[in-house]
Amino acid sequence: MKQLPATHALIVVDVQNDFVSGSLLVPNAAEIVPVVNRIREAFATVVFTKDWHPANHGSFAVNHLGKQVLEQIDLNGLPQTLWPPHCIQGEPGAELVAGLNSERAYLFVKGTDPGIDSYSGFFDNGHRKATGLGEFLKTNGVTDVYVCGLATDYCVKATAIDAVQLGFNTYLIEDASRGVNIQPDDVANAIKEMQAAGVCIATSVDVPGC
Ligand code: VGL
Ligand code: ZN
């Protein structure tokens, strides 16, 4: 496979057991694994993100008395959708999916602060703290980022929009991503939002060399 220059990085968002076969299922998520494994061969720089929550995380409905999954609350001044417990630090549900080639890659974790959620791989939802991913990419001369993974309508969307705002030429690899689609058009709307923000919508065949 043709190699992209080191200025081009692949960001694989949250391809973790809980989203594929665990507590917060993203429909058809397992289908992206062979696609990610294929496209990553074109990239010299590959980053994986992990949703990495403590058990007392404020995005878990069980941590709010009387609240249900998918209810919306205010979490320290930010709107928060409540989820089942997922991607708890050190538990099997937080591991990258078996069969995903995660060799020779960099790992960034997010969602570690119990008081704030972090959909983006770059910043928490209040843009209060950075994960270090933006700095890392800039320090390494990366100019173009290709974003894929789970879930298109949450963490992939937030990561891609932050990437644009940080000045990266940003591509969504649509067929290497899947969404939750709580409402049937959530993924379609997320793609429109990304496009409006300046994200180029691409598929794996558009990645040079793939
Ligand atoms: C995600 C909901 C809650 C994601 C993470 O990875 O898209 N979604 N936490
Ligand atoms: Zn989460």
Side-chain angles (χ1 to χ4, degrees):
M1 186 180 277
K2 181 175 167 279
Q3 283 287 300
L4 286 163
T7 51
H8 290 46
L10 178 67
I11 304 175
V12 183
V13 176
D14 298 2
V15 185
Q16 291 165 272
N17 289 329
D18 272 336
F19 298 122
V20 176
S21 58
S23 62
L24 210 176
L25 287 178
V26 178
N28 308 310
E31 293 173 1
I32 71 170
V33 173
V35 184
V36 174
N37 284 345
R38 181 165 51 82
I39 60 184
R40 65 155 291 168
E41 297 299 328
F43 290 87
T45 307
V46 180
V47 170
F48 287 82
T49 69
K50 278 172 112 180
D51 212 28
W52 192 244
H53 298 309
N56 66 345
H57 197 258
S59 72
F60 299 169
V62 291
N63 292 327
H64 302 275
L65 200 64
K67 296 289 178 190
Q68 301 295 315
V69 167
L70 300 185
E71 270 189 65
Q72 310 284 322
I73 64 160
D74 175 299
L75 184 63
N76 301 312
L78 292 174
Q80 176 68 51
T81 300
L82 293 177
W83 303 107
H86 62 277
C87 300
I88 295 174
Q89 296 172 5
E91 293 198 2
E95 282 171 24
L96 294 176
V97 169
L100 185 69
N101 176 8
S102 59
E103 292 166 8
R104 286 168 279 104
Y106 299 91
L107 178 69
F108 287 84
V109 300
K110 62 191 185 58
T112 57
D113 180 340
I116 192 165
D117 211 355
S118 187
Y119 290 156
S120 164
F122 291 99
F123 299 101
D124 62 52
N125 290 359
H127 282 81
R128 293 171 189 162
K129 279 191 193 143
T131 61
L133 174 56
E135 273 283 310
F136 166 80
L137 295 172
K138 296 237 157 138
T139 302
N140 285 282
V142 171
T143 54
D144 292 49
V145 299
Y146 292 73
V147 182
C148 65
L150 307 173
T152 312
D153 38 359
Y154 291 93
C155 294
V156 171
K157 177 180 89 173
T159 301
I161 291 174
D162 276 349
V164 169
Q165 287 172 359
L166 287 168
F168 297 104
N169 302 315
T170 305
Y171 300 83
L172 167 75
I173 311 176
E174 197 179 345
D175 58 326
S177 306
R178 291 290 185 278
V180 186
N181 262 344
I182 290 165
Q183 302 296 326
D185 51 1
D186 281 355
V187 167
N189 286 332
I191 288 171
K192 283 184 199 152
E193 261 186 79
M194 286 187 258
Q195 204 158 24
V199 177
C200 303
I201 310 303
T203 66
S204 57
V205 295
D206 300 318
V207 179
C210 291

